[in-house]
Amino acid sequence: MENRKLKIRRMVAGEKNILENIALVLLAFYPLRHIAWGLDLWDTGYNYANFQYMGTEHMDPMWLFSTYLANAAGNLLTRLPNGGTLLGMNLYTGLFAGVLGLVGYFFCTRALRIPRPLAFAGEFAALSLCWCPTALLYNYLTYILFLGCAVLLYYGLVKEKRGCLIAAGACLGTNVLVRFSNLPEMAMIAAVWAYDVILWTEERNAARSGVQGAGKPGFWRRLFSHTGWCLLGYVSALGVLLGWIQLRYGLDEYAAGIARLFSMTDNATDYKPAAMLMGLIGVYVENLYWVARIFVIIAGGLAVFAAAGFVEGLLDRGGKIMRMAAQAVHVAIRVLWGAVCIAMLWWLYARKFCSFMYYTYDSMLRPGVLFLMLAMFIAVIRIFHRKSPREEKLISGMVILIIFLTSLGSNNNVYPSLNNLFIAAPYTLWESWRFVRDVKDKKFRHNITLASFPVKGILIAFLAMCLFQFGLFGAGFSFAEATGVQDVSARVENNEVLKNIGMSPQKAQWMTEIGSYVEENGLRGREVILYGNIPALSYYLQMPSAFNPWSCLDSFSRGAMEEALEEVSAGMWGEEAPGEASDGSFEETPGEVSAEIDKKEAPVIIMDWEYVLYLEEGTAALEAAGIDERRRNKIAEDEKLLLLRDFMERWGYRQTFENGKFYVYRSIPGED
């Protein structure tokens, strides 16, 4: 009998291991589901261009130094097999998201003891919500180091391992070089201080109660010790990395780039700290509309269940028939509440709380925001619940900090937090499951009962909706120009970088046409000035940018643009252009100027169609083309566009190609 039981246990354990291994494979490779899906003319190719052409020669120093380690890591990836293709780079960067899922799963199952199915469901939901292209390594490396910090802090505090505390600090110090706006992550030290307060409170209460073996509270000693080890790791990592930058570029270059980062808020007002914070808070305040209505439904359910409980109590006092009636009331009210929960979901969908168009953010945004609010609400309850173990209070505090800090330093409101739920999602499902499993009805006098069933029913319905929406969003969404891809039926055949990438027929036509022009004219490898929301062309056409490939952004100031164009001119001619007199007048014909320019390989200029249309025909043409008023005004007030126009006129540029989307300008020798 004992041998049989042992065999059964081994079989069950073996099956669990097989299932877990399958789950791990899914988490590791699930982020690769869309690596050949869609062509993004914005962020994806822009970041890959920065990786390939990393350095001050082809990059904006502000961007180079503010995301230095992300660019360095990306540059290493470009050297791997197929690292020169979009498909290959999507594969390599996609594995970073898989690392997040795996680390989160192991931490949740091994350290937090979250049941494996719940941990898997949470990590799968977190990966499904990764809307951000994996090409943005400054995000995914940030999340990896942030997650590493949380894991190491947990072990360092719970197990009293100073090495883990030092390593946790090193993660955050390193993160500053991954993305400079990660500085607010220093606030994770609040988790250390809070945990020390919890320990001190427990020790003090134990000492007062005369518990045998209770140690003397040592709050300040422990606080300074924990803080000091974390600070040592932080400063050491930061010092080593800054030392490398000093050797490689010089700290004066780094300081100048970071200074530009701070000054960009003069133009990009959405990056001002107040604007970012108010935008973040505003999203939560806006979604209180839905929270309030869900709470009204729950309050109504509590009242109905209280009345039903009172009736059940009265009926239970009678005979057999009365007791049967009480049982019928008990069952009927729960069936009725199940119908109410389903009706609530129908109402949410009917009121456009979320959509079934899973290639848009609308399918997950509001459920995602309420999921964040639920996670933080649960965490606050567990922190202040007197029966919560100190370890649970610690991880609850970390969940709040991670959700809040992830979105600081970004102008994307709560979207970064939705992209970083690798602890929060499993934690929320785990705590919800414990609530459903453990919380019982609370009885008061006069047969009045505070039932838990209404809350459990609404909670289960909402979480089921979230998992459904998140899963289908993950299956249907692939980022392209800040929205989702809908058509991937076409391919580009004449561009090795874009080989095997599915895209819309229109984009395929655009890229095929301009790709043919670039190849026929031997422009691959030539420097390019890109203007408009087409920065990815630098990577897709293999043409390094003369300065910032996304120079139309507000974060790239007029002064920076003017300085960059002057440097380009100086690189072509020195201090003065040929034929340009000291008073700024030209002494030679445009044809003669163009002939000289070609010898110096003047950068090719490629512009987005909106800007060309404005330069040629004005704002009326933009309006006729269907450009909205806000966009028209932005283009009309763009001083950098006028600088570029003057540069083109000064150096004799002419349009040599257009396909309705991209307009190419070059200096051709001998043409007047």
Side-chain angles (χ1 to χ4, degrees):
M1 179 64 77
E2 289 297 326
N3 289 336
R4 185 179 179 184
K5 288 182 179 180
L6 184 60
K7 288 181 180 179
I8 292 174
R9 290 195 193 100
R10 287 177 177 172
M11 288 177 60
V12 171
E15 290 176 0
K16 286 183 178 179
N17 288 334
I18 292 173
L19 291 174
E20 183 174 51
N21 289 335
I22 294 173
L24 295 176
V25 171
L26 288 174
L27 292 177
F29 296 106
Y30 176 62
L32 306 182
R33 64 197 179 280
H34 293 153
I35 59 173
W37 200 3
L39 186 76
D40 173 31
L41 296 174
W42 291 11
D43 295 88
T44 301
Y46 171 60
N47 280 274
Y48 289 159
N50 287 330
F51 298 164
Q52 183 169 5
Y53 305 117
M54 180 187 175
T56 54
E57 182 180 0
H58 300 298
M59 285 186 68
D60 180 3
M62 178 188 76
W63 192 250
L64 170 64
F65 293 121
S66 63
T67 57
Y68 179 75
L69 285 182
N71 294 318
N75 183 260
L76 290 175
L77 295 180
T78 63
R79 303 170 191 272
L80 298 177
N82 294 315
T85 68
L86 180 58
L87 184 65
M89 288 298 291
N90 284 345
L91 186 151
Y92 294 137
T93 59
L95 294 175
F96 283 77
V99 169
L100 282 163
L102 292 175
V103 173
Y105 176 85
F106 280 116
F107 175 66
C108 289
T109 54
R110 272 52 173 184
L112 303 183
R113 301 297 180 185
I114 295 177
R116 295 177 185 182
L118 292 176
F120 174 77
E123 297 302 334
F124 191 83
L127 288 170
S128 295
L129 286 176
C130 286
W131 59 271
C132 178
T134 55
L136 279 66
L137 277 186
Y138 61 83
N139 278 335
Y140 286 92
L141 273 178
T142 288
Y143 302 151
I144 287 175
L145 289 169
F146 204 6
L147 176 60
C149 169
V151 172
L152 290 165
L153 271 185
Y154 183 88
Y155 280 112
L157 293 172
V158 172
K159 305 294 186 182
E160 281 293 336
K161 294 184 177 181
R162 67 178 61 174
C164 290
L165 296 177
I166 295 172
C171 285
L172 294 189
T174 303
N175 241 352
V176 177
L177 271 294
V178 171
R179 186 178 62 185
F180 190 79
S181 57
N182 288 335
L183 273 174
E185 291 177 2
M186 287 190 296
M188 281 295 285
I189 197 65
V192 177
W193 298 341
Y195 187 75
D196 287 339
V197 169
I198 292 170
L199 286 179
W200 173 73
T201 302
E202 291 181 355
E203 290 172 349
R204 185 188 60 179
N205 292 339
R208 287 178 177 177
S209 302
V211 176
Q212 187 176 4
K216 183 180 179 181
F219 173 70
W220 293 110
R221 178 183 57 80
R222 183 186 293 119
L223 181 70
F224 285 122
S225 175
H226 288 166
T227 304
W229 292 123
C230 292
L231 186 61
L232 175 63
Y234 189 92
V235 172
S236 298
L238 199 56
V240 168
L241 292 170
L242 289 177
W244 164 252
I245 289 179
Q246 164 63 20
L247 294 174
R248 183 72 175 80
Y249 302 98
L251 283 180
D252 53 340
E253 290 282 340
Y254 178 78
I258 298 303
R260 278 258 322 277
L261 183 70
F262 283 103
S263 65
M264 78 175 184
T265 56
D266 295 337
N267 302 296
T269 56
D270 53 337
Y271 278 98
K272 289 182 178 291
M276 289 188 289
L277 186 59
M278 292 308 298
L280 179 60
I281 295 173
V283 173
Y284 290 119
V285 172
E286 177 186 344
N287 280 272
L288 287 175
Y289 171 91
W290 303 100
V291 174
R293 280 149 182 78
I294 292 174
F295 268 110
V296 167
I297 295 172
I298 292 174
L302 292 174
V304 170
F305 269 76
F310 181 77
V311 171
E312 286 180 44
L314 293 177
L315 293 174
D316 268 338
R317 298 174 184 175
K320 182 177 180 181
I321 295 179
M322 298 287 280
R323 289 195 297 273
M324 291 176 61
Q327 189 65 28
V329 170
H330 182 84
V331 173
I333 195 65
R334 280 155 177 76
V335 172
L336 176 63
W337 191 248
V340 169
C341 293
I342 295 173
M344 182 197 74
L345 296 181
W346 176 86
W347 172 76
L348 288 173
Y349 280 113
R351 292 295 302 273
K352 308 293 193 238
F353 175 73
C354 55
S355 76
F356 294 111
M357 296 184 292
Y358 296 104
Y359 56 86
T360 70
Y361 300 112
D362 289 339
S363 60
M364 67 82 177
L365 180 57
R366 288 197 180 103
V369 174
L370 261 62
F371 189 86
L372 293 177
M373 296 172 77
L374 174 64
M376 291 188 286
F377 177 71
I378 291 173
V380 169
I381 291 176
R382 299 311 299 171
I383 288 171
F384 292 101
H385 196 286
R386 61 185 180 85
K387 292 185 178 180
S388 296
R390 65 179 70 157
E391 296 84 1
E392 187 178 353
K393 292 182 178 182
L394 173 62
I395 197 62
S396 297
M398 285 185 178
V399 165
I400 295 174
L401 287 170
I402 290 172
I403 290 174
F404 184 69
L405 293 175
T406 298
S407 290
L408 287 184
S410 169
N411 63 341
N412 288 324
N413 299 328
V414 300
Y415 283 94
S417 296
L418 291 171
N419 213 129
N420 188 24
L421 293 177
F422 298 96
I423 290 179
Y427 168 87
T428 304
L429 296 180
W430 174 49
E431 293 287 8
S432 299
W433 174 72
R434 293 173 64 197
F435 173 81
V436 172
R437 182 194 64 183
D438 298 336
V439 173
K440 309 298 181 184
D441 296 347
K442 190 170 184 179
K443 296 186 179 295
F444 299 93
R445 295 179 180 178
H446 309 297
N447 290 329
I448 302 298
T449 302
L450 182 63
S452 61
F453 194 86
V455 181
K456 293 177 180 179
I458 294 295
L459 179 62
I460 292 172
F462 173 71
L463 290 177
M465 177 192 218
C466 285
L467 293 177
F468 178 77
Q469 291 295 123
F470 297 166
L472 290 180
F473 173 79
F477 183 87
S478 180
F479 183 97
E481 290 90 58
T483 185
V485 172
Q486 298 183 54
D487 186 355
V488 292
S489 59
R491 301 284 188 277
V492 174
E493 302 297 337
N494 65 343
N495 189 318
E496 286 298 314
V497 175
L498 302 180
K499 189 175 181 181
N500 298 320
I501 297 293
M503 64 192 79
S504 68
Q506 185 181 49
K507 283 186 176 179
Q509 180 181 350
W510 290 340
M511 294 307 303
T512 298
E513 291 170 349
I514 195 170
S516 296
Y517 174 81
V518 167
E519 290 298 326
E520 290 168 5
N521 290 272
L523 299 181
R524 182 185 290 268
R526 284 279 296 272
E527 282 195 342
V528 65
I529 296 175
L530 298 166
Y531 204 80
N533 291 316
I534 53 173
L537 290 187
S538 175
Y539 180 69
Y540 299 155
L541 300 178
Q542 293 292 282
M543 300 177 70
S545 174
F547 41 88
N548 185 340
W550 210 344
S551 51
C552 69
L553 292 180
D554 290 339
S555 56
F556 191 68
S557 67
R558 182 192 184 281
M561 180 77 166
E562 188 172 19
E563 182 181 340
L565 290 174
E566 288 176 356
E567 288 181 3
V568 171
S569 297
M572 289 155 49
W573 297 109
E575 295 184 357
E576 289 187 357
E580 185 180 2
S582 58
D583 62 357
S585 62
F586 284 88
E587 299 173 347
E588 299 182 19
T589 64
E592 291 171 323
V593 172
S594 296
E596 290 295 324
I597 290 175
D598 189 70
K599 292 178 183 178
K600 299 291 185 179
E601 288 198 331
V604 178
I605 295 177
I606 305 178
M607 298 179 67
D608 204 348
W609 71 276
E610 296 174 324
Y611 296 91
V612 176
L613 185 61
Y614 170 73
L615 288 177
E616 293 181 350
E617 302 182 38
T619 53
L622 292 177
E623 184 175 3
I627 307 298
D628 64 79
E629 183 179 3
R630 180 176 175 274
R631 181 67 179 157
R632 293 199 306 270
N633 292 337
K634 185 174 180 63
I635 294 174
E637 296 169 0
D638 191 345
E639 296 180 349
K640 293 180 294 183
L641 178 61
L642 302 183
L643 287 175
L644 183 60
R645 181 196 62 186
D646 293 343
F647 175 85
M648 293 166 65
E649 291 177 353
R650 176 186 180 192
W651 298 111
Y653 277 85
R654 294 173 180 80
Q655 180 184 312
T656 58
F657 171 85
E658 66 89 11
N659 63 359
K661 174 63 177 177
F662 310 124
Y663 285 73
V664 179
Y665 296 85
R666 296 174 60 202
S667 294
I668 307 296
E671 289 191 8
D672 295 323

